[in-house]
Amino acid sequence: MLMKNLTIYFAYLKKFMTVGDLMHDIQGFLEDCKLRGLTRHTVQTYAGQVKAFLQTQDHKKPTEINIDDLKFFLGELQERGLSGSTIRGHFAALSSFFDYLMFEGVTFSNPVLPFRKRYLTRLVDDSENTRQLISVKDLQLLIGSAKDIQQRAIIMVFAKTGMRLGELLSLHPSDLDLKRGIIRIPPKPKRSNRTAFIDEELMFVLRDYLSWREKKPASPWLWVTNSGARIKKEYPGMILADLGSSLGLHTKNGSLGDKLTPHCMRHFFTTWLYRNGLDPEHL
């Protein structure tokens, strides 16, 4: 009887200590999120999503979480009828949580990364299919069909930075820092991060464009016409529609999914980075 009581006691003590450790890890994670500048809404959302997962795990330690646990949680979320974006949000929170635990030395791996790549890349909402997603090959053909250096530069900035139309139009030449490989994006209500990183290919194209632009009348704007005036806001969309039509990527009177728009370039940027393993939080 004594041994039985001791066994029950130690099992209870172990569970109690595990719960305490988990609460400490969660609290530390939320403090870490705040220090990294995440919004209050994001921190609250992450807290709820991480706790929802841990409640299904019978107070397992993070080091004990495995792929089967993640499969079980995914199945539960699907049974609840949650949308693809909501499910991905849950796993983005979990991935961020395990990244924190790795940073703190609590665990040595993030099991969510390979799981997400295998099970969530095809998880989409019907609403997401309203935007056309072009392939890398389509983008290469689109760039190759550009009629001049300005068209080529605009398409590549859209595709390689995920920049919105209004952000692209608001750029000044001084916003380009080609030595450091960045574009400083003027303040906009929807953007918290104002730095876009660019690769050597895009830097090469932008240098060519700046050489072309220097021959035009002076203007404070980056994108100008032959007369030196700022391009019209409709112009980038007209470029994509014109070139896309010739490649079968744009139907003028078709549905939204049949049109090639500046926002399709943003969709290209975010989707292909996500499919190649970049965490949604960083996206």
Side-chain angles (χ1 to χ4, degrees):
M1 179 64 70
L2 177 62
M3 289 300 297
K4 183 178 180 181
N5 289 338
L6 285 175
T7 300
I8 295 174
Y9 172 74
F10 282 121
Y12 172 80
L13 183 61
K14 180 180 178 182
K15 184 174 181 179
F16 177 80
M17 291 176 66
T18 301
V19 172
D21 291 341
L22 284 175
M23 293 306 297
H24 179 268
D25 289 337
I26 293 175
Q27 188 60 42
F29 169 60
L30 299 181
E31 291 296 328
D32 179 73
C33 288
K34 294 175 184 177
L35 289 174
R36 288 188 292 128
L38 274 64
T39 65
R40 181 180 179 182
H41 173 73
T42 300
V43 174
Q44 291 175 340
T45 301
Y46 275 16
Q49 291 170 330
V50 170
K51 289 177 182 177
F53 169 73
L54 294 176
Q55 286 173 356
T56 68
Q57 302 307 310
D58 193 28
H59 307 296
K60 275 188 176 180
K61 295 179 180 179
T63 52
E64 298 172 334
I65 300 298
N66 56 44
I67 296 298
D68 287 336
D69 297 322
L70 297 176
K71 287 181 180 179
F72 177 80
F73 185 57
L74 174 59
E76 282 207 339
L77 296 180
Q78 290 174 330
E79 287 182 5
R80 287 164 55 188
L82 299 181
S83 67
S85 59
T86 299
I87 292 175
R88 286 198 303 273
H90 276 274
F91 282 91
L94 287 180
S95 184
S96 185
F97 178 58
F98 277 98
D99 277 344
Y100 162 74
L101 295 178
M102 287 178 63
F103 180 78
E104 292 292 323
V106 176
T107 184
F108 298 102
S109 64
N110 182 348
V112 183
L113 292 177
F115 180 86
R116 189 186 65 206
K117 188 173 183 179
R118 182 170 184 83
Y119 291 101
L120 302 186
T121 54
R122 294 182 180 274
L123 197 63
V124 298
D125 300 318
D126 292 338
S127 61
E128 293 172 338
N129 289 326
T130 59
R131 291 286 180 183
Q132 180 179 184
L133 174 62
I134 65 173
S135 67
V136 175
K137 182 65 175 178
D138 289 334
L139 179 63
Q140 291 172 338
L141 293 172
L142 194 66
I143 294 171
S145 64
K147 298 176 181 178
D148 55 47
I149 185 60
Q150 185 183 71
Q151 290 189 0
R152 188 176 304 115
I154 287 175
I155 294 170
M156 290 179 67
V157 168
F158 272 140
K160 292 200 171 202
T161 67
M163 204 174 292
R164 297 179 177 87
L165 174 60
E167 293 169 341
L168 179 130
L169 293 172
S170 66
L171 292 175
H172 302 87
S174 59
D175 293 322
L176 303 185
D177 187 343
L178 301 185
K179 289 183 179 180
R180 298 174 60 196
I182 63 174
I183 300 177
R184 287 180 289 270
I185 303 173
K188 291 288 180 181
K190 290 185 177 181
R191 178 176 285 273
S192 57
N193 185 347
R194 293 178 50 203
T195 301
F197 299 95
I198 56 179
D199 61 10
E200 291 184 2
E201 183 182 36
L202 182 51
M203 284 191 280
F204 180 82
V205 170
L206 287 172
R207 286 192 182 98
D208 274 358
Y209 172 69
L210 291 175
S211 296
W212 174 88
R213 187 186 174 283
E214 287 176 357
K215 301 173 184 177
K216 309 303 174 187
S219 170
W221 304 105
L222 176 60
W223 309 106
V224 296
T225 65
N226 285 323
S227 64
R230 185 186 187 185
I231 62 171
K232 294 182 179 180
K233 64 180 181 179
E234 297 84 7
Y235 182 61
M238 292 170 59
I239 294 173
L240 294 174
D242 178 46
L243 300 179
S245 294
S246 63
L247 296 172
L249 300 174
H250 179 84
T251 303
K252 181 178 180 181
N253 296 317
S255 64
L256 185 60
D258 296 321
K259 295 180 179 180
L260 187 63
T261 66
H263 197 80
C264 290
M265 296 292 101
R266 182 172 173 81
H267 188 36
F268 170 89
F269 173 79
T270 55
T271 301
W272 285 106
L273 282 180
Y274 175 78
R275 290 184 178 181
N276 281 279
L278 187 61
D279 194 291
E281 177 187 339
H282 299 115
L283 273 176

